[in-house]
Structures are given as C-alpha cells and as structure tokens.
Short mmCIF file of all heavy atoms in Angstrom, two decimals:
data_model
loop_
_atom_site.label_atom_id
_atom_site.label_comp_id
_atom_site.label_asym_id
_atom_site.label_seq_id
_atom_site.Cartn_x
_atom_site.Cartn_y
_atom_site.Cartn_z
N GLY A 7 -77.55 10.47 -152.59
CA GLY A 7 -76.29 9.99 -152.06
C GLY A 7 -75.99 10.73 -150.76
O GLY A 7 -76.12 11.95 -150.70
N VAL A 8 -75.65 9.98 -149.73
CA VAL A 8 -75.37 10.58 -148.43
C VAL A 8 -73.90 10.33 -148.10
O VAL A 8 -73.41 9.20 -148.21
CB VAL A 8 -76.27 9.97 -147.33
CG1 VAL A 8 -75.98 10.59 -145.98
CG2 VAL A 8 -77.74 10.13 -147.70
N GLN A 9 -73.19 11.38 -147.69
CA GLN A 9 -71.77 11.26 -147.33
C GLN A 9 -71.61 10.23 -146.22
O GLN A 9 -72.43 10.15 -145.31
CB GLN A 9 -71.23 12.60 -146.87
CG GLN A 9 -71.23 13.66 -147.93
CD GLN A 9 -70.80 15.01 -147.39
OE1 GLN A 9 -70.14 15.11 -146.36
NE2 GLN A 9 -71.17 16.07 -148.09
N GLN A 10 -70.56 9.45 -146.31
CA GLN A 10 -70.20 8.44 -145.31
C GLN A 10 -71.22 7.30 -145.21
O GLN A 10 -71.22 6.56 -144.23
CB GLN A 10 -70.01 9.07 -143.91
CG GLN A 10 -69.06 10.25 -143.87
CD GLN A 10 -67.63 9.85 -144.21
OE1 GLN A 10 -67.15 8.81 -143.80
NE2 GLN A 10 -66.96 10.70 -144.97
N ALA A 11 -72.11 7.16 -146.20
CA ALA A 11 -73.08 6.06 -146.22
C ALA A 11 -72.78 5.18 -147.43
O ALA A 11 -72.58 5.68 -148.53
CB ALA A 11 -74.50 6.60 -146.30
N PRO A 12 -72.74 3.86 -147.24
CA PRO A 12 -72.38 2.97 -148.34
C PRO A 12 -73.47 2.81 -149.40
O PRO A 12 -73.17 2.44 -150.52
CB PRO A 12 -72.13 1.63 -147.64
CG PRO A 12 -72.94 1.70 -146.40
CD PRO A 12 -72.95 3.15 -145.99
N ARG A 13 -74.70 3.13 -149.08
CA ARG A 13 -75.80 2.95 -150.03
C ARG A 13 -76.55 4.25 -150.23
O ARG A 13 -76.67 5.06 -149.32
CB ARG A 13 -76.77 1.88 -149.52
CG ARG A 13 -76.10 0.52 -149.33
CD ARG A 13 -77.04 -0.48 -148.75
NE ARG A 13 -77.96 -0.93 -149.79
CZ ARG A 13 -79.02 -1.69 -149.55
NH1 ARG A 13 -79.31 -2.04 -148.33
NH2 ARG A 13 -79.79 -2.07 -150.53
N GLU A 14 -77.09 4.41 -151.44
CA GLU A 14 -77.90 5.58 -151.70
C GLU A 14 -79.34 5.33 -151.26
O GLU A 14 -79.76 4.18 -151.11
CB GLU A 14 -77.86 5.95 -153.18
CG GLU A 14 -78.50 4.92 -154.09
CD GLU A 14 -78.26 5.21 -155.57
OE1 GLU A 14 -77.46 6.09 -155.90
OE2 GLU A 14 -78.88 4.53 -156.39
N ILE A 15 -80.08 6.41 -151.05
CA ILE A 15 -81.49 6.33 -150.72
C ILE A 15 -82.27 6.47 -152.02
O ILE A 15 -82.01 7.39 -152.80
CB ILE A 15 -81.89 7.45 -149.74
CG1 ILE A 15 -81.10 7.33 -148.44
CG2 ILE A 15 -83.39 7.43 -149.48
CD1 ILE A 15 -81.23 8.55 -147.55
N GLN A 16 -83.21 5.56 -152.27
CA GLN A 16 -84.04 5.63 -153.47
C GLN A 16 -85.49 5.74 -153.06
O GLN A 16 -85.95 5.05 -152.15
CB GLN A 16 -83.89 4.38 -154.33
CG GLN A 16 -82.61 4.33 -155.13
CD GLN A 16 -82.63 3.17 -156.08
OE1 GLN A 16 -82.52 2.03 -155.65
NE2 GLN A 16 -82.78 3.46 -157.35
N LEU A 17 -86.23 6.62 -153.74
CA LEU A 17 -87.66 6.72 -153.51
C LEU A 17 -88.35 7.23 -154.75
O LEU A 17 -87.71 7.80 -155.63
CB LEU A 17 -87.96 7.65 -152.32
CG LEU A 17 -87.57 9.11 -152.46
CD1 LEU A 17 -88.82 9.96 -152.60
CD2 LEU A 17 -86.81 9.54 -151.22
N GLU A 18 -89.64 6.96 -154.85
CA GLU A 18 -90.46 7.51 -155.92
C GLU A 18 -91.38 8.53 -155.28
O GLU A 18 -92.12 8.21 -154.36
CB GLU A 18 -91.23 6.41 -156.64
CG GLU A 18 -90.33 5.57 -157.50
CD GLU A 18 -91.10 4.63 -158.42
OE1 GLU A 18 -92.30 4.83 -158.62
OE2 GLU A 18 -90.46 3.70 -158.92
N SER A 19 -91.29 9.75 -155.77
CA SER A 19 -92.05 10.86 -155.21
C SER A 19 -93.15 11.26 -156.17
O SER A 19 -92.99 11.17 -157.39
CB SER A 19 -91.12 12.05 -154.95
OG SER A 19 -91.86 13.17 -154.54
N THR A 20 -94.27 11.72 -155.64
CA THR A 20 -95.36 12.22 -156.48
C THR A 20 -95.10 13.66 -156.90
O THR A 20 -95.85 14.22 -157.69
CB THR A 20 -96.71 12.13 -155.76
OG1 THR A 20 -96.63 12.85 -154.53
CG2 THR A 20 -97.10 10.69 -155.48
N GLN A 21 -94.04 14.28 -156.38
CA GLN A 21 -93.69 15.64 -156.75
C GLN A 21 -93.09 15.66 -158.16
O GLN A 21 -92.60 14.66 -158.66
CB GLN A 21 -92.67 16.21 -155.77
CG GLN A 21 -93.20 16.40 -154.37
CD GLN A 21 -92.12 16.88 -153.43
OE1 GLN A 21 -91.18 16.17 -153.16
NE2 GLN A 21 -92.26 18.11 -152.97
N THR A 22 -93.12 16.83 -158.78
CA THR A 22 -92.50 17.01 -160.08
C THR A 22 -90.99 17.14 -159.91
O THR A 22 -90.52 17.46 -158.81
CB THR A 22 -93.03 18.27 -160.78
OG1 THR A 22 -92.60 19.42 -160.04
CG2 THR A 22 -94.55 18.25 -160.91
N PRO A 23 -90.23 16.93 -160.99
CA PRO A 23 -88.78 17.14 -160.88
C PRO A 23 -88.44 18.56 -160.42
O PRO A 23 -87.50 18.75 -159.65
CB PRO A 23 -88.28 16.90 -162.31
CG PRO A 23 -89.29 15.98 -162.90
CD PRO A 23 -90.61 16.38 -162.29
N GLU A 24 -89.21 19.54 -160.85
CA GLU A 24 -88.96 20.93 -160.45
C GLU A 24 -89.19 21.13 -158.95
O GLU A 24 -88.44 21.86 -158.29
CB GLU A 24 -89.86 21.87 -161.26
CG GLU A 24 -89.53 21.93 -162.74
CD GLU A 24 -90.07 20.73 -163.54
OE1 GLU A 24 -90.98 20.00 -163.04
OE2 GLU A 24 -89.57 20.51 -164.65
N GLN A 25 -90.22 20.49 -158.40
CA GLN A 25 -90.50 20.60 -156.97
C GLN A 25 -89.41 19.94 -156.14
O GLN A 25 -88.99 20.48 -155.12
CB GLN A 25 -91.86 19.97 -156.64
CG GLN A 25 -93.05 20.76 -157.17
CD GLN A 25 -94.35 20.00 -157.02
OE1 GLN A 25 -94.40 18.78 -157.19
NE2 GLN A 25 -95.41 20.72 -156.70
N VAL A 26 -88.93 18.78 -156.58
CA VAL A 26 -87.85 18.10 -155.86
C VAL A 26 -86.59 18.95 -155.92
O VAL A 26 -85.91 19.15 -154.91
CB VAL A 26 -87.60 16.69 -156.44
CG1 VAL A 26 -86.37 16.05 -155.79
CG2 VAL A 26 -88.82 15.80 -156.24
N SER A 27 -86.27 19.47 -157.10
CA SER A 27 -85.09 20.31 -157.26
C SER A 27 -85.17 21.55 -156.37
O SER A 27 -84.19 21.94 -155.74
CB SER A 27 -84.95 20.72 -158.73
OG SER A 27 -83.80 21.50 -158.92
N ALA A 28 -86.34 22.17 -156.29
CA ALA A 28 -86.52 23.35 -155.45
C ALA A 28 -86.35 23.00 -153.97
O ALA A 28 -85.75 23.77 -153.21
CB ALA A 28 -87.90 23.97 -155.69
N ALA A 29 -86.84 21.83 -153.56
CA ALA A 29 -86.69 21.40 -152.16
C ALA A 29 -85.22 21.17 -151.82
O ALA A 29 -84.75 21.54 -150.75
CB ALA A 29 -87.50 20.13 -151.90
N VAL A 30 -84.48 20.58 -152.76
CA VAL A 30 -83.05 20.35 -152.55
C VAL A 30 -82.32 21.68 -152.45
O VAL A 30 -81.52 21.90 -151.53
CB VAL A 30 -82.45 19.48 -153.68
CG1 VAL A 30 -80.93 19.41 -153.57
CG2 VAL A 30 -83.06 18.08 -153.66
N ALA A 31 -82.60 22.59 -153.38
CA ALA A 31 -81.94 23.90 -153.38
C ALA A 31 -82.23 24.67 -152.09
O ALA A 31 -81.32 25.27 -151.51
CB ALA A 31 -82.39 24.71 -154.60
N ALA A 32 -83.47 24.63 -151.62
CA ALA A 32 -83.84 25.34 -150.39
C ALA A 32 -83.12 24.75 -149.19
O ALA A 32 -82.64 25.48 -148.31
CB ALA A 32 -85.34 25.30 -150.19
N ALA A 33 -83.02 23.41 -149.14
CA ALA A 33 -82.34 22.76 -148.01
C ALA A 33 -80.86 23.10 -147.99
O ALA A 33 -80.29 23.40 -146.95
CB ALA A 33 -82.54 21.24 -148.08
N VAL A 34 -80.23 23.08 -149.17
CA VAL A 34 -78.80 23.39 -149.25
C VAL A 34 -78.56 24.86 -148.89
O VAL A 34 -77.64 25.18 -148.14
CB VAL A 34 -78.26 23.06 -150.66
CG1 VAL A 34 -76.85 23.60 -150.84
CG2 VAL A 34 -78.29 21.56 -150.90
N LYS A 35 -79.41 25.74 -149.40
CA LYS A 35 -79.24 27.18 -149.13
C LYS A 35 -79.38 27.50 -147.63
O LYS A 35 -78.62 28.27 -147.07
CB LYS A 35 -80.26 27.98 -149.93
CG LYS A 35 -80.11 29.48 -149.78
CD LYS A 35 -81.08 30.23 -150.65
CE LYS A 35 -80.88 31.73 -150.49
NZ LYS A 35 -81.79 32.49 -151.32
N SER A 36 -80.37 26.85 -146.99
CA SER A 36 -80.61 27.13 -145.58
C SER A 36 -79.70 26.35 -144.65
O SER A 36 -79.58 26.67 -143.47
CB SER A 36 -82.07 26.81 -145.23
OG SER A 36 -82.29 25.41 -145.22
N GLY A 37 -79.08 25.29 -145.19
CA GLY A 37 -78.25 24.43 -144.34
C GLY A 37 -79.09 23.56 -143.42
O GLY A 37 -78.59 23.00 -142.46
N GLY A 38 -80.36 23.44 -143.74
CA GLY A 38 -81.29 22.69 -142.90
C GLY A 38 -81.44 21.25 -143.34
O GLY A 38 -80.45 20.57 -143.64
N LEU A 39 -82.68 20.79 -143.39
CA LEU A 39 -82.98 19.41 -143.72
C LEU A 39 -83.69 19.30 -145.06
O LEU A 39 -84.55 20.12 -145.39
CB LEU A 39 -83.90 18.81 -142.65
CG LEU A 39 -83.36 18.77 -141.23
CD1 LEU A 39 -84.45 18.34 -140.27
CD2 LEU A 39 -82.17 17.83 -141.13
N LEU A 40 -83.32 18.27 -145.83
CA LEU A 40 -84.06 17.93 -147.03
C LEU A 40 -85.11 16.90 -146.61
O LEU A 40 -84.76 15.86 -146.06
CB LEU A 40 -83.15 17.33 -148.10
CG LEU A 40 -83.86 16.74 -149.32
CD1 LEU A 40 -84.66 17.81 -150.06
CD2 LEU A 40 -82.86 16.06 -150.25
N SER A 41 -86.36 17.21 -146.86
CA SER A 41 -87.46 16.32 -146.49
C SER A 41 -88.30 16.03 -147.72
O SER A 41 -88.84 16.96 -148.33
CB SER A 41 -88.31 16.98 -145.40
OG SER A 41 -89.39 16.14 -145.06
N LEU A 42 -88.39 14.75 -148.11
CA LEU A 42 -89.19 14.34 -149.26
C LEU A 42 -90.12 13.22 -148.83
O LEU A 42 -89.77 12.38 -148.00
CB LEU A 42 -88.29 13.84 -150.39
CG LEU A 42 -87.31 14.85 -151.00
CD1 LEU A 42 -86.39 14.15 -151.99
CD2 LEU A 42 -88.07 15.98 -151.67
N THR A 43 -91.30 13.19 -149.42
CA THR A 43 -92.30 12.16 -149.13
C THR A 43 -92.45 11.27 -150.35
O THR A 43 -92.58 11.77 -151.47
CB THR A 43 -93.66 12.79 -148.78
OG1 THR A 43 -93.46 13.70 -147.69
CG2 THR A 43 -94.67 11.74 -148.37
N ASP A 44 -92.43 9.94 -150.13
CA ASP A 44 -92.57 9.03 -151.26
C ASP A 44 -94.05 8.76 -151.56
O ASP A 44 -94.94 9.27 -150.88
CB ASP A 44 -91.78 7.74 -151.04
CG ASP A 44 -92.38 6.79 -150.03
OD1 ASP A 44 -93.48 7.05 -149.50
OD2 ASP A 44 -91.75 5.74 -149.76
N GLU A 45 -94.29 7.95 -152.59
CA GLU A 45 -95.66 7.67 -153.04
C GLU A 45 -96.51 6.96 -151.99
O GLU A 45 -97.71 7.01 -152.04
CB GLU A 45 -95.63 6.84 -154.33
CG GLU A 45 -95.14 7.61 -155.53
CD GLU A 45 -95.18 6.79 -156.80
OE1 GLU A 45 -95.05 5.55 -156.73
OE2 GLU A 45 -95.32 7.40 -157.86
N LYS A 46 -95.87 6.29 -151.03
CA LYS A 46 -96.60 5.57 -149.99
C LYS A 46 -96.77 6.40 -148.72
O LYS A 46 -97.25 5.91 -147.71
CB LYS A 46 -95.89 4.26 -149.67
CG LYS A 46 -95.88 3.31 -150.85
CD LYS A 46 -95.17 2.02 -150.52
CE LYS A 46 -95.17 1.13 -151.75
NZ LYS A 46 -94.45 -0.12 -151.52
N GLY A 47 -96.32 7.67 -148.76
CA GLY A 47 -96.48 8.55 -147.62
C GLY A 47 -95.35 8.52 -146.61
O GLY A 47 -95.41 9.19 -145.60
N ARG A 48 -94.30 7.75 -146.90
CA ARG A 48 -93.14 7.71 -146.00
C ARG A 48 -92.30 8.96 -146.23
O ARG A 48 -92.15 9.43 -147.35
CB ARG A 48 -92.30 6.47 -146.25
CG ARG A 48 -93.06 5.20 -145.90
CD ARG A 48 -92.22 3.99 -146.21
NE ARG A 48 -92.08 3.89 -147.66
CZ ARG A 48 -91.85 2.77 -148.31
NH1 ARG A 48 -91.69 1.65 -147.66
NH2 ARG A 48 -91.76 2.76 -149.62
N VAL A 49 -91.73 9.49 -145.16
CA VAL A 49 -90.93 10.71 -145.23
C VAL A 49 -89.45 10.36 -145.06
O VAL A 49 -89.09 9.63 -144.14
CB VAL A 49 -91.36 11.72 -144.15
CG1 VAL A 49 -90.51 12.98 -144.21
CG2 VAL A 49 -92.84 12.07 -144.30
N VAL A 50 -88.62 10.89 -145.96
CA VAL A 50 -87.17 10.72 -145.88
C VAL A 50 -86.59 12.09 -145.54
O VAL A 50 -86.88 13.07 -146.22
CB VAL A 50 -86.59 10.22 -147.22
CG1 VAL A 50 -85.08 10.17 -147.17
CG2 VAL A 50 -87.15 8.85 -147.56
N VAL A 51 -85.79 12.16 -144.49
CA VAL A 51 -85.19 13.41 -144.05
C VAL A 51 -83.67 13.23 -143.99
O VAL A 51 -83.19 12.30 -143.36
CB VAL A 51 -85.73 13.84 -142.66
CG1 VAL A 51 -85.09 15.14 -142.22
CG2 VAL A 51 -87.24 13.95 -142.68
N VAL A 52 -82.95 14.13 -144.68
CA VAL A 52 -81.49 14.07 -144.72
C VAL A 52 -80.95 15.47 -144.42
O VAL A 52 -81.40 16.44 -145.03
CB VAL A 52 -80.99 13.61 -146.11
CG1 VAL A 52 -79.47 13.56 -146.16
CG2 VAL A 52 -81.59 12.26 -146.49
N PRO A 53 -79.98 15.59 -143.50
CA PRO A 53 -79.36 16.89 -143.27
C PRO A 53 -78.67 17.38 -144.55
O PRO A 53 -77.95 16.61 -145.20
CB PRO A 53 -78.33 16.63 -142.18
CG PRO A 53 -78.76 15.34 -141.55
CD PRO A 53 -79.44 14.55 -142.62
N ALA A 54 -78.88 18.62 -144.92
CA ALA A 54 -78.34 19.16 -146.16
C ALA A 54 -76.82 19.04 -146.23
O ALA A 54 -76.26 18.77 -147.30
CB ALA A 54 -78.76 20.61 -146.32
#
C-alpha cells in the first residue's frame, strides 16, 4: 500500500517471507527505498 495512491501494488516474489520482511524493515530503518523483484525479473521500487 502506497500513501496517496488509490491502488495497491501486487507482485509475486521468489524471495521468502523472511527476506521480504527484512527488506521492508531495512528500507524503513534507513528511510531509503524498498526494492523488490518479481518472478518475471521486474523491479518495484517504493520510497520507504
């Protein structure tokens, strides 16, 4: 879910739930970018 956006972003990642959770936590802690890659190799980047 992205603030001020009417739709959520959905993707299927080859990462484990723990890896995705760690990536989210690291992005929030650093105030940087959350970057996830889906099963087709597309990259989704969202400012934390």
Side-chain angles (χ1 to χ4, degrees):
V8 180
Q9 296 175 21
Q10 308 295 320
R13 300 176 76 189
E14 66 189 9
I15 299 169
Q16 283 188 289
L17 64 109
E18 288 190 17
S19 174
T20 56
Q21 294 176 293
T22 66
E24 293 79 17
Q25 290 171 322
V26 173
S27 182
V30 172
V34 170
K35 184 176 181 180
S36 71
L39 299 172
L40 171 61
S41 179
L42 297 174
T43 304
D44 74 4
E45 290 183 331
K46 295 180 181 178
R48 294 178 292 205
V49 179
V50 175
V51 180
V52 180

